[in-house]
């Protein structure tokens, strides 16, 4: 069954585009979720937005006038009741406030709307590497514009309203005629008295001074997913500033400011750390506990004969891999760079032990190694370079 779009907006079937727009704006101000958070209001806000979308589009309005329902074709998809469920809803509202719906060049210039969409806001959020890895719900205080609760965004003092501007007669612009050698030149500029709105507020709201919004501090919970990194921005839809005249709020962007970690260095989704082991451990091998970033202790196997600068890779012990969809898809690796520490302070007994070891291994008389024996060794590299 076709819905009664005219009834939802409370306008007559022969209403003009202006009347439809005016009726929608009036209802939107009363029902906007920032003003009226009740569920019933949200539902009705969705309804009137849909009704406006239909009736402001000449094609769709024609379908309605023929007894059909242009929104029943399935084009709108599910969830049409929630005006903030996606870009569709918000875009519709913006169109309404901009008067762009059903566009086309034929529309007269007319006064501009007092109701404008709000701007986006950006705040920086400092996180430790651990918080970036696990994700975190963080309550943040934002200082933004909200709808003035006294006038509900209308900007007029209680019991009063707006009045058509005398200077421009409601057109929002004034014209001046100049004579030049080309003939008469008519130029239009925004009306200086009403600033192009076409209407004035004789008795502005005492709380917001007619702007329809006031500054306020409020708390917002930002859900930070695991795997975020320095400079990444999380968008909180509709949590930015409310626009002039109580217009729809912009978005709030939370930019991640990742603090450097004492132990781990991040490279994309991989983590790197240095791990110092004594020379004896490197030679004999051992299993040693190593503290990972978020997985607790890990038993690291050091093979006997481990060389300095050996790199051990612990698969999937790095950062969660956050996709642009917001989903986590696996994890990066943890690279452990082994640093072999040669003892510097030896007492006599230790020194004797090492001397004995060296004698047994025939290492007590170090010699220069013949440098051609190892392809790709330090000197062969140097030589190739010099010959080029
Ligand atoms: Zn106010
Ligand atoms: Zn004016």
């Amino acid at each position: 069954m076709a819905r009664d779009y005219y009834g939802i907006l409370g306008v007559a079937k022969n209403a003009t585009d202006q009347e439809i727009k005016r009726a929608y704006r009036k209802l939107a101000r009363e029902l906007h979720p920032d003003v009226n958070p009740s569920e019933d209001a949200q539902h009705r806000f969705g309804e009137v937005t849909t009704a406006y979308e239909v009736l402001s589009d000449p094609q769709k309005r024609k379908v309605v006038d023929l007894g059909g329902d242009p929104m029943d074709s399935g084009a709108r998809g599910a969830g049409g009741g929630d005006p903030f469920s996606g870009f569709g809803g918000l875009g519709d509202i913006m169109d309404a406030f901009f008067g762009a719906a059903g566009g086309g060049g034929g529309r007269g210039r007319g006064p501009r709307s007092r109701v404008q969409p709000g701007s986006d806001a950006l705040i920086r959020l400092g996180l430790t590497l651990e918080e970036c890895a696990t994700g975190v719900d963080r309550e943040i205080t934002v200082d933004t514009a909200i709808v003035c609760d006294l006038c509900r965004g209308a900007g007029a003092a209680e019991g009063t309203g707006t009045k058509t501007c005398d200077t421009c007669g409601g057109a929002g612009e004034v014209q001046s005629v100049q004579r030049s050698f080309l003939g008469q030149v008519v130029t239009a500029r925004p009306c200086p008295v009403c600033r192009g709105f076409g209407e004035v507020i004789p008795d502005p709201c005492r709380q917001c001074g007619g702007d329809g919004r006031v500054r306020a501090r409020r708390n917002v919970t930002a859900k930070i997913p695991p795997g975020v990194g320095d400079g990444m921005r999380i968008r909180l839809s509709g949590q930015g500033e409310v626009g002039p005249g109580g217009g729809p709020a912009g978005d709030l962007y939370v930019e991640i400011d990742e603090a450097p970690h004492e132990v781990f260095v991040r490279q994309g989704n991989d983590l790197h750390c240095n791990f110092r082991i004594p020379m004896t451990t490197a030679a004999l091998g051992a299993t040693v506990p190593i503290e990972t970033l978020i997985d607790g202790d890990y038993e690291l196997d050091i093979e006997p004969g481990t060389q300095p600068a050996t790199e051990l890779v612990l698969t999937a012990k790095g950062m969660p891999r956050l996709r642009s969809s917001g989903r986590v898809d696996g994890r990066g690796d943890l690279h452990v760079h082994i640093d072999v520490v040669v003892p510097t302070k030896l007492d006599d007994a230790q020194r004797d032990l090492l001397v004995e070891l060296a004698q047994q291994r025939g290492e007590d008389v170090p010699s220069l190694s013949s440098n051609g024996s190892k392809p790709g060794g330090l000197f062969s590299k140097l030589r190739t370079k010099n010959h080029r």
Side-chain angles (χ1 to χ4, degrees):
M1 219 196 104
R3 273 164 287 183
D4 177 16
Y5 292 115
Y6 290 103
I8 291 170
L9 285 183
V11 295
K13 289 225 189 318
N14 60 358
T16 64
D17 288 351
Q18 271 302 323
E19 286 169 332
I20 287 169
K21 189 188 279 180
R22 204 162 291 155
Y24 171 62
R25 273 197 211 142
K26 188 166 167 288
L27 288 167
R29 272 181 201 154
E30 287 168 23
L31 300 169
H32 192 283
D34 270 350
V35 182
N36 194 336
S38 81
E39 216 163 293
D40 183 47
Q42 280 201 22
H43 178 71
R44 286 214 50 216
F45 188 62
E47 272 190 330
V48 301
T49 302
T50 308
Y52 177 74
E53 194 180 87
V54 170
L55 295 182
S56 59
D57 181 335
Q59 301 279 343
K60 290 178 182 161
R61 189 172 174 181
K62 201 174 277 174
V63 175
V64 174
D65 289 342
L66 292 170
D69 189 340
M71 302 317 259
D72 266 352
S73 58
R76 199 175 164 79
D82 178 9
F84 287 112
S85 61
F87 271 115
L90 204 55
D92 299 339
I93 302 162
M94 294 210 179
D95 281 352
F97 289 131
F98 278 129
R107 205 174 63 86
R109 301 263 295 273
R112 68 192 179 105
S113 171
R114 188 178 290 284
V115 181
Q116 301 287 334
S119 35
D120 295 338
L122 174 73
I123 64 161
R124 283 169 71 79
L125 178 64
L127 292 181
T128 64
L129 187 61
E130 285 91 342
E131 288 169 329
C132 288
T134 57
V136 66
D137 283 1
R138 183 62 67 76
E139 190 161 278
I140 46 184
T141 304
V142 284
D143 188 2
T144 56
I146 60 166
V147 174
C148 172
D149 58 348
L150 202 61
C151 63
R152 295 186 150 198
E158 214 175 347
T160 73
T162 54
K163 178 174 145 295
T164 304
C165 173
D166 289 335
T167 307
C168 63
E173 56 182 29
V174 287
Q175 295 185 339
S176 55
V177 181
Q178 281 172 320
R179 286 186 181 282
S180 77
F181 63 94
L182 293 169
Q184 280 192 349
V185 181
V186 181
T187 50
R189 59 195 170 92
C191 171
V193 174
C194 63
R195 291 185 293 147
F197 296 132
E199 53 182 32
V200 290
I201 302 175
D203 193 3
C205 167
R206 63 184 159 79
Q207 185 169 265
C208 64
D211 193 32
R213 53 183 183 162
V214 287
R215 294 211 75 81
R217 269 170 189 275
R218 62 202 168 91
N219 291 338
V220 178
T221 303
K223 276 182 141 12
I224 309 296
V228 294
D230 199 46
M232 247 181 222
R233 288 181 177 182
I234 309 292
R235 176 168 152 259
L236 304 182
S237 183
Q239 298 285 3
E241 298 216 344
V242 160
D251 296 333
L252 174 67
Y253 288 89
V254 178
E255 188 177 286
I256 306 299
D257 185 9
E258 180 187 303
H261 194 273
E262 273 188 2
V263 173
F264 297 101
V265 173
R266 179 174 183 174
Q267 253 179 11
N269 294 314
D270 287 347
L271 293 172
H272 294 260
C273 67
N274 288 321
F275 192 60
R276 290 157 68 88
I277 56 171
M279 176 191 77
T280 45
T281 306
L284 300 170
T287 299
V288 288
I290 172 174
E291 208 180 306
T292 60
L293 183 67
I294 54 170
D295 300 284
D297 278 356
Y298 180 88
E299 298 292 313
L300 188 66
D301 278 326
I302 308 283
E303 296 285 316
T306 292
Q307 300 296 313
T310 296
E311 189 175 330
L312 302 177
V313 179
L314 312 190
T315 308
K317 296 283 184 224
M319 301 294 284
R321 216 176 273 135
L322 182 63
R323 297 295 185 202
S324 54
S325 65
R327 275 189 28 247
V328 171
D329 178 19
R331 290 177 61 182
D333 301 331
L334 171 58
H335 298 247
V336 181
H337 299 259
I338 301 295
D339 195 3
V340 176
V341 180
V342 177
T344 49
K345 282 176 196 153
L346 300 172
D347 62 23
D348 287 349
Q350 292 165 348
R351 205 175 160 281
D352 289 347
L353 276 172
L354 281 180
V355 168
E356 198 187 324
L357 177 69
Q359 280 169 351
Q360 280 206 17
R361 292 178 57 84
E363 293 171 350
D364 50 341
V365 193
S367 63
L368 289 170
S369 63
S370 60
N371 70 46
S373 61
K374 235 175 142 193
L378 172 66
F379 290 107
S380 70
K381 266 186 207 150
L382 285 178
R383 226 182 359 219
T384 346
K385 235 182 207 167
N386 287 343
H387 278 266
R388 269 186 197 154

